[in-house]
Amino acid sequence: HTGIEKNLEYRTWVQAVPFVTRMDYLAPIANEAGYCLAVEKLLGIVDKVPERAQLMRVITLELNRMGSHLVALATGGFEMGALTAMTNGFRDRELTLDLLEMITGLRMNHAYIRPGGVAQDMPEGGVRDIHAAMDKLDRQLDGVPQLLVNNSVWMDRTSGIGVLDLAGCMALGVTGPVLRATGLPYDIRKSEPYFGYDQFDFEVPTETSNDVYGRFLIRLREVDESKKIIRQACDLLEKTPGPVMIEDKKIGWPSQLSIGGDGMGNSLEHIRHIMGESMEALIHHFKLFTEGF
C-alpha cells in the first residue's frame, strides 16, 4: 500500500460506523452491531466490552427490530388495502423511534454502537420511560392481530403467496422471518449468542406455511419477544453499574456526548478537556482519527 492507502485503511476502522449505519434505514443499529462486533473480534476485545454497554446494545437492537417489523406490517397493509393496519403500524413504530432518539439522540442513522461500547449511557429516567412505552405497546399492538389474524380478505391476499421452502432459503442464504416461516427455528441470537443474548428468556417463533401469511404471524410474535427482552435488559441495567465504553484509551471512542438544541454532539466540557486541559487526551483523539487502532 502507499502511505495514503494505508491511512485510509486505518481511518476506515474507526470512522466507518457513521457510514455503516446508513446502509439499511430499517436496521441501522443492527448494521452498527455487526460491524463493531467484527472489529472487536479483530482487536481481541470482545470480552472486554463493559456489561452495561452490552445491555444498552441489546435494548437498542430490540427497539430497532420492533420498529423494522412494524414498518413491514404497516407498509404491507397499505399495499394490500388495509389502511388501518398502516396507521396503527406507524403509530406504534413512532414509540420505538422516540425511545431510540432518547437514547442515541437520533431517530435513525444513529452511529450509537461503536468499537468498544456505545456512544453514551442511558439518560436519566430512560428505563422508566422504556417500561412505560412497553406497557403502552402491550395495549396498542392488539390492534393489528385483531384486525388481520384470521381475516379472510387478508388471508386470501397472503396465504400461499411468495412461497419459499427450506431448500430454497438454504440455497439463497435467506435468514430472518422468511427462513423461520419454513419451520426452522434458526436465530443467531440463540445459535451463536452475542452481546449476552444467552442470558435472556425469549422464544424463536416459527411457522410452516412458507408464505407471506406465515411471515406476517412471525413478525407479530417477534415484536412481543422483543418487548420481553427489552424489559429483562432494562431490569439488568438498573443492577449493572459501570462505564459504557472500554477503558483502553487507544481503542475507546474519545467522546462524551450531550444532546442540545441542535441534536447530539461532543459536550463542550469534553471538547475543552481535549483541546485545552489534557495533552494525553488530545494525543489519543488525534491518533485514533488519523491512524486508527
Side-chain angles (χ1 to χ4, degrees):
H1 296 293
T2 66
I4 293 176
E5 287 171 334
K6 272 191 172 182
N7 190 35
L8 289 173
E9 181 179 316
Y10 290 135
R11 286 164 64 91
T12 298
W13 291 115
V14 73
Q15 296 184 353
V17 176
F19 300 100
V20 171
T21 192
R22 288 168 168 78
M23 292 170 64
D24 179 353
Y25 77 91
L26 289 178
I29 296 288
N31 280 324
E32 298 170 20
Y35 174 78
C36 290
L37 184 56
V39 173
E40 287 163 3
K41 286 182 178 179
L42 289 169
L43 291 171
I45 61 168
V46 172
D47 296 332
K48 298 178 182 178
V49 177
E51 184 180 356
R52 188 172 178 86
Q54 302 288 43
L55 291 170
M56 291 300 302
R57 290 174 169 188
V58 169
I59 290 169
T60 52
L61 271 168
E62 294 306 317
L63 287 170
N64 201 175
R65 181 185 299 267
M66 291 175 67
S68 176
H69 283 355
L70 288 168
V71 168
L73 297 170
T75 56
F78 175 75
E79 295 293 348
M80 287 182 277
L83 297 186
T84 306
M86 180 198 72
T87 55
N88 285 2
F90 278 114
R91 175 201 65 192
D92 297 339
R93 175 183 180 248
E94 197 67 21
L95 284 176
T96 70
L97 293 181
D98 287 344
L99 294 175
L100 287 170
E101 184 177 17
M102 172 192 71
I103 296 168
T104 73
L106 297 165
R107 288 165 59 88
M108 58 191 294
N109 301 338
H110 310 275
Y112 179 70
I113 298 179
R114 303 182 179 188
V118 295
Q120 64 179 7
D121 204 345
M122 179 72 75
E124 185 176 353
V127 168
R128 179 199 62 224
D129 291 345
I130 291 173
H131 278 302
M134 294 301 106
D135 292 342
K136 188 174 183 179
L137 283 169
D138 283 340
R139 300 187 297 271
Q140 290 186 178
L141 284 169
D142 281 344
V144 172
Q146 290 177 5
L147 182 69
L148 298 179
V149 175
N150 295 324
N151 178 308
S152 58
V153 176
W154 183 256
M155 293 182 70
D156 283 345
R157 297 179 179 183
T158 57
S159 297
I161 304 298
V163 172
L164 186 63
D165 62 12
L166 179 57
C169 287
M170 298 299 284
L172 296 171
V174 174
T175 59
V178 179
L179 176 63
R180 292 190 279 275
T182 69
L184 184 66
Y186 178 74
D187 188 320
I188 197 169
R189 295 173 298 174
K190 291 280 192 182
S191 61
E192 298 179 49
Y194 55 96
F195 298 168
Y197 265 109
D198 49 343
Q199 66 186 313
F200 299 109
D201 177 26
F202 67 100
E203 303 298 325
V204 179
T206 61
E207 294 289 332
T208 57
S209 58
N210 304 312
D211 61 6
V212 171
Y213 187 67
R215 297 163 204 154
F216 157 73
L217 294 176
I218 286 173
R219 285 188 171 94
L220 284 178
R221 292 165 58 195
E222 286 193 1
V223 168
D224 289 334
E225 295 302 315
S226 288
K227 286 189 295 178
K228 285 169 53 178
I229 295 171
I230 290 168
R231 284 182 166 122
Q232 293 173 64
C234 283
D235 290 341
L236 286 172
L237 193 72
E238 293 193 298
K239 305 172 187 175
T240 308
V244 293
M245 179 56 73
I246 192 170
E247 296 289 348
D248 188 339
K249 298 299 184 183
K250 298 187 186 305
I251 295 175
W253 196 282
S255 63
Q256 296 294 326
L257 301 180
S258 63
I259 299 176
D262 59 347
M264 184 172 73
N266 281 333
S267 70
L268 295 178
E269 294 79 7
H270 187 65
I271 294 173
R272 186 181 303 115
H273 175 67
I274 290 178
M275 303 305 257
E277 298 175 355
S278 171
M279 176 60 72
E280 290 76 16
L282 179 61
I283 289 170
H284 286 308
H285 188 284
F286 180 80
K287 295 284 280 185
L288 266 177
F289 280 86
T290 56
E291 296 182 5
F293 303 129

